[in-house]
Every structure is written in structure tokens, then in C-alpha cells.
Amino acid sequence: MTRRAPALGWGSLLAGALVASFCVLTVQLAFAALAVGVVGMAHGASDLAIVEHRRRPAFLMLYVSALFVCLMWWIVDPAIALPAFLLASAVHFGLEDAPASRPFERIARGISLVATPATLHATSLARILDLAGVRESGAPAMVSILAVAGDAAAACLVIIGAARHDRRLLVGTTALLILPPLVGFSVGFLVLHAVPQTKERRDRLRCVTTIAYLRATGPILGLAVLLVGIMGGVLLRWDPSGVRSLFAGVAALAMPHLLVTPYFDRVTRRSGSMGLPRDHRDVVRAHVLE
């Protein structure tokens, strides 16, 4: 039964993605909000747990500051905030999703996750970018650049995936290419980045199971989801469609994860300490005793 659980989860995700692909934009937006704004945040929920205790006040101050600066940026000038967010995300995906020994794959992975959805869905993506705050005059040029880059990156990843028999890479890249932009990115993000990173964090925090990991990080994850909902609700004043709200809410939490956490993570790794929270230690002890 335990072995069937992951297969059932992936099957449900892909089934939901296929259904959402044939629905209106509102349903696709809801799917993306659930997949990226809830499930996808699980790996970032442990950001605080990997920081040394004595450095947590500074970490939290910078993290919250970056969050509010990003949110204000989306309110004041989303036409610049969105490309900046995509660029930062591409760099993050490239660095996190492939080892340093594969620089070419790093570049392709980073580009593909943010650009491949434009390859076969230029019109849909242009509409989404327009709703997200990109100036109508600049959206077509931006989509054209993304389509060319995404097409080349996807082709490289398909070749790499086929050569290595890497089903995860092939499935994720195919989803980015074929499914509508919001749905395709959501599936690709989970398959290629969020789920592998959650497993890496789970192992790093010495959680025996994913349930134990979620139990340890649950309060932070719940707070993150609540913040996204609040920020999204605030931005509905400027965009009733909800597209800009989703982008801004996710970006406001993602940018500190992309910019602040890596520095403190490197410091923690160099010091050789983990600084696990008290409740997480209790979870670890419980599983060791079992």
C-alpha cells in the first residue's frame, strides 16, 4: 500500500492537470494556485530549519524585508517585477536541479522551466502576461524570446533525458511543452523542482518520512499559504482575474527563498551545524525509538 501511494499521487496530479487543461483560465489558475502555492511550497517551508539558531533573527529580518519589497514592487511596477522574478527563478532552478558537474544541463533546466511553456502556447501566455501586469506592447516580444529559448532548452533536455533514461526529466519537460502555460508550469515545477527539493530537505533534516517532514514544517507551511492568500487578496484590487495576485503572492515568498536562504544555507553548511527546531528533534527521536 505504501509503495502505491506515490504512484497514486502522481496519477492524481496528472489527471487533474489534464482536466484543467481543457477548462477556462479560472480553473487553470486554481490548479496552479493549489499546485504551486500550496504543494510546491513544502520544500521552502524548511528554510528556517536549516539556519543556525544564532543566525535566525538576521535571517528572519532579511527574509521578511525581501518579502515586502517584492510585494511592493509588484504593486508599483509589475512590468519589471515579472521579468526579474522569471530571471531569478531560472537561475535558482538551474543551480538547484542539476549538479555543478553538468553546467550545460543547469542552463537548460533553468531556461526550460520558465520559457518552455511559451513554445506551443504563445497566445495564451501573452494573455497571462498581460493580466499579470506586463505592458501589452511588450508581451509579444517577451513571449517570442521565451519561445525560442524554451524550445532550444526543451530539445536539449529531451535528448539528455532519453540518453539517461530519466523519466522524471522527460515527463516534466513534456508537461512544460504540451500543457497550457499555467498548468504545464505547475506540473513541471512539481516534477522537476519542488518534489526533488522536498525530498532533499527531508533527508537533510533527517526525517524518516515525508509525513514527518510535513509535521515538522507544518506551521511554517501553513503561515506561508496564509500569507499568499492575504497578498493575493490585496492585489485583487488591481487585477480581478487573479493572475497577477497569484504571481505576486508566490513571487513575494519565492524571492526570499531564492535570494536570502542560499547565503544562510552556505554559512550553515560551512559551520557543519543544522540547528534543527525543538519540535523537529522530537519527531526524529520518535521515529528512531520506533
Side-chain angles (χ1 to χ4, degrees):
M1 187 66 179
T2 304
R3 294 180 179 178
R4 292 179 183 176
L8 181 61
W10 286 120
S12 299
L13 171 68
L14 295 178
L18 287 175
V19 171
S21 297
F22 292 97
C23 295
V24 296
L25 182 62
T26 303
V27 175
Q28 295 179 16
L29 185 66
F31 178 86
L34 179 62
V36 178
V38 179
V39 180
M41 283 188 187
H43 71 292
S46 58
D47 282 357
L48 182 63
I50 65 173
V51 176
E52 293 177 283
H53 285 278
R54 64 189 179 89
R55 297 184 184 275
R56 288 182 181 177
F59 171 79
L60 287 172
M61 181 182 70
L62 291 174
Y63 206 95
V64 173
S65 297
L67 185 153
F68 280 107
V69 168
C70 181
L71 180 61
M72 291 305 299
W73 196 4
W74 272 91
I75 293 174
V76 175
D77 195 356
I80 301 298
L82 178 56
F85 174 54
L86 293 179
L87 179 60
S89 297
V91 173
H92 176 72
F93 295 146
L95 293 177
E96 295 291 329
D97 297 341
S101 59
R102 300 172 186 167
F104 185 76
E105 183 180 342
R106 277 187 159 189
I107 295 172
R109 279 181 177 259
I111 293 174
S112 182
L113 254 174
V114 301
T116 296
T119 303
L120 300 179
H121 302 280
T123 302
S124 298
L125 184 59
R127 181 191 174 201
I128 291 170
L129 293 179
D130 179 52
L131 292 171
V134 175
R135 296 182 183 90
E136 188 175 355
S137 59
M142 184 176 175
V143 170
S144 296
I145 294 172
L146 289 173
V148 173
D151 187 20
C156 293
L157 292 180
V158 168
I159 293 172
I160 292 172
R164 287 209 306 257
H165 303 288
D166 189 335
R167 288 185 295 177
R168 181 183 293 275
L169 185 56
L170 292 173
V171 170
T173 303
T174 301
L176 289 168
L177 185 65
I178 294 178
L179 299 176
L182 287 175
V183 179
F185 172 77
S186 300
V187 176
F189 171 74
L190 290 178
V191 172
L192 298 174
H193 179 74
V195 172
Q197 288 299 313
T198 299
K199 290 180 178 178
E200 192 274 336
R201 287 287 183 90
R202 181 196 68 191
D203 294 342
R204 187 174 171 189
L205 294 178
R206 300 191 292 277
C207 287
V208 178
T209 64
T210 300
I211 296 298
Y213 172 83
L214 293 175
R215 191 181 303 146
T217 60
I220 300 296
L221 179 59
L223 178 60
V225 173
L226 178 62
L227 284 174
V228 168
I230 293 173
M231 291 183 289
V234 170
L235 284 169
L236 284 174
R237 175 180 176 183
W238 288 272
D239 170 37
S241 74
V243 173
R244 183 173 169 186
S245 299
L246 174 65
F247 273 68
V250 171
L253 282 176
M255 288 302 278
H257 174 70
L258 306 184
L259 301 177
V260 178
T261 303
Y263 168 75
F264 285 88
D265 186 22
R266 286 193 296 271
V267 172
T268 300
R269 288 178 184 274
R270 282 199 299 266
S271 68
S273 63
M274 179 57 64
L276 299 181
R278 186 182 303 277
D279 59 339
H280 177 73
R281 292 196 189 98
D282 292 340
V283 172
V284 173
R285 289 194 194 101
H287 282 280
V288 170
L289 290 175
E290 289 174 1

